[in-house]
Amino acid sequence: MPRPGKSTYSSEKPPYSYIALTAMAIQNSPDKMLLLNDIYKFIIDRFPYYRQNTQKWQNSLRHNLSFNDCFIKIPRKMKRPGKGNYWSLHPRCGDMFDNGSYLRRRKRFKGIFHYNKLKDENTFSNVKKNLSKTRQKITILKNAASNTSTSSPMICDEHTSLPCTTKNSSFLIDDLLADQSISLSSSSPSSVPIGSVQSTKQQTSPTSSIKQERFQQLLFPENIVRKLTFLDILTAHSHKHLNVYPIHLHQQQEHQTTGLSLNFLY
DNA sequence: GTATGTTTACATTGCA
DNA sequence: TGCAATGTAAACATAC
């Protein structure tokens, strides 16, 4: 993606979608993550067109951040309190604009579990219903992983050091993921499905507890919280990087496994 | 109160 | 021409 310098564009509308502009701002930052306000500033600074009607386009931009799975939310560190989270790019959305068009992507990046889909499908009954199916799939995946090449997997996720899905195994990851309503396998009957991080608020009532079941956090050593997809878990499982345990919120425990820990909030 | 974040609905646009 | 991506508007929730 080109990196336009200051005053590259006049007051005409730049040939970039909001997604492209946001991605540009994030990629341009030293830490590859920015606060919402910093994204605003970057765009206004680079593109005079956006110095007007700020309410309109900023609303659209916020909509894009929430709506598109290619953007991931990273909470502020405890040391740096303030309003809003940091926004970063999903590690697997780097080729969004590989067709050379920054107005329109070839295909929208989608996480394996989109929040809207989860809302309809991930009830406790569905979770139970799909548990055995998921166990089978993960067993298949584990077996396949153990039968494939013993060479070290290529690391492609800079945040998690999780490996890319290798293509030399005897199955296609997409086949395993074809059923999007599957949930995470666990030895506990209270296992929860994988979804986007929405809230860390503690739940008290059973009703809100059910609602909260969709919300989990994947915590990394640097306290980064990112959206967690089923593919992340499968990838981690396939290379034995991560064991997955549901953890009760009130306990606030972490299971440390090779530098990664997983919190399930429900 | 305001900024931030989520969701829905609908319009517009570009691609196959 | 249909579908999917994108843009826009708005309502609402939540955090600071």
Side-chain angles (χ1 to χ4, degrees):
Chain A
M1 186 185 301
R3 300 282 197 279
K6 287 187 179 182
S7 306
T8 298
Y9 291 90
S10 61
S11 56
E12 67 191 55
K13 188 169 187 177
Y16 303 115
S17 65
Y18 290 124
I19 297 168
L21 289 168
T22 308
M24 202 185 292
I26 292 169
Q27 287 184 340
N28 198 65
S29 66
D31 298 327
K32 308 299 175 194
M33 59 179 182
L34 284 178
L35 293 168
L36 179 64
N37 199 44
D38 293 331
I39 298 172
Y40 291 160
K41 282 179 188 167
F42 175 91
I43 293 172
I44 289 171
D45 189 42
R46 294 290 205 289
F47 306 100
Y49 174 84
Y50 291 107
R51 288 170 192 164
Q52 54 199 343
N53 296 320
T54 52
Q55 292 290 322
K56 282 185 184 177
W57 68 263
Q58 287 177 355
N59 183 25
S60 297
L61 193 140
R62 288 196 304 273
H63 160 78
N64 273 282
L65 282 170
S66 293
F67 186 73
N68 288 284
D69 288 349
C70 58
F71 298 114
I72 54 179
K73 208 169 61 177
I74 301 169
R76 286 167 177 267
K77 290 182 177 174
M78 302 293 268
K79 284 177 271 181
R80 301 176 69 181
K83 202 179 274 188
N85 301 281
Y86 285 94
W87 289 94
S88 186
L89 286 167
H90 193 288
R92 284 191 293 273
C93 71
D95 60 348
M96 277 194 304
F97 302 100
D98 62 348
N99 60 348
S101 168
Y102 302 108
L103 270 177
R104 209 174 177 82
R105 292 172 294 177
R106 190 169 291 163
K107 196 172 169 67
R108 183 163 65 187
F109 178 88
K110 282 183 181 175
I112 302 304
F113 287 89
H114 191 272
Y115 175 77
N116 287 336
K117 198 138 183 77
L118 285 168
K119 235 180 12 176
D120 299 331
E121 295 176 352
N122 283 321
T123 58
F124 275 130
S125 60
N126 279 340
V127 169
K128 274 187 175 177
K129 204 184 298 176
N130 292 310
L131 197 57
S132 62
K133 195 191 294 184
T134 307
R135 282 191 176 125
Q136 284 176 8
K137 290 188 175 185
I138 286 186
T139 302
I140 292 168
L141 183 61
K142 278 183 169 177
N143 291 339
S146 62
N147 290 335
T148 53
S149 165
T150 55
S151 60
S152 299
M154 182 171 61
I155 305 298
C156 66
D157 186 331
E158 61 180 356
H159 291 301
T160 67
S161 296
L162 292 180
C164 296
T165 304
T166 54
K167 294 192 175 181
N168 58 347
S169 48
S170 57
F171 61 92
L172 292 172
I173 194 81
D174 286 343
D175 293 337
L176 288 169
L177 298 172
D179 180 0
Q180 298 200 349
S181 65
I182 52 181
S183 67
L184 175 68
S185 174
S186 165
S187 57
S188 163
S190 58
S191 70
V192 294
I194 305 301
S196 304
V197 175
Q198 298 291 323
S199 169
T200 56
K201 194 177 180 180
Q202 188 156 359
Q203 302 298 311
T204 50
S205 71
T207 312
S208 58
S209 170
I210 290 170
K211 201 184 287 182
Q212 191 69 21
E213 70 176 289
R214 306 187 194 99
F215 307 150
Q216 309 90 38
Q217 293 183 347
L218 184 59
L219 298 178
F220 299 101
E222 60 271 40
N223 202 28
I224 285 176
V225 180
R226 49 169 288 196
K227 284 183 182 178
L228 182 60
T229 68
F230 188 64
L231 182 57
D232 291 327
I233 293 300
L234 286 179
T235 307
H237 263 292
S238 69
H239 297 287
K240 299 179 172 35
H241 276 217
L242 176 67
N243 291 320
V244 180
Y245 304 97
I247 299 166
H248 289 283
L249 179 64
H250 66 268
Q251 293 175 328
Q252 282 294 322
Q253 294 172 344
E254 294 180 9
H255 285 262
Q256 292 290 342
T257 53
T258 62
L260 298 172
S261 64
L262 189 68
N263 274 9
F264 284 87
L265 309 180
Y266 61 99

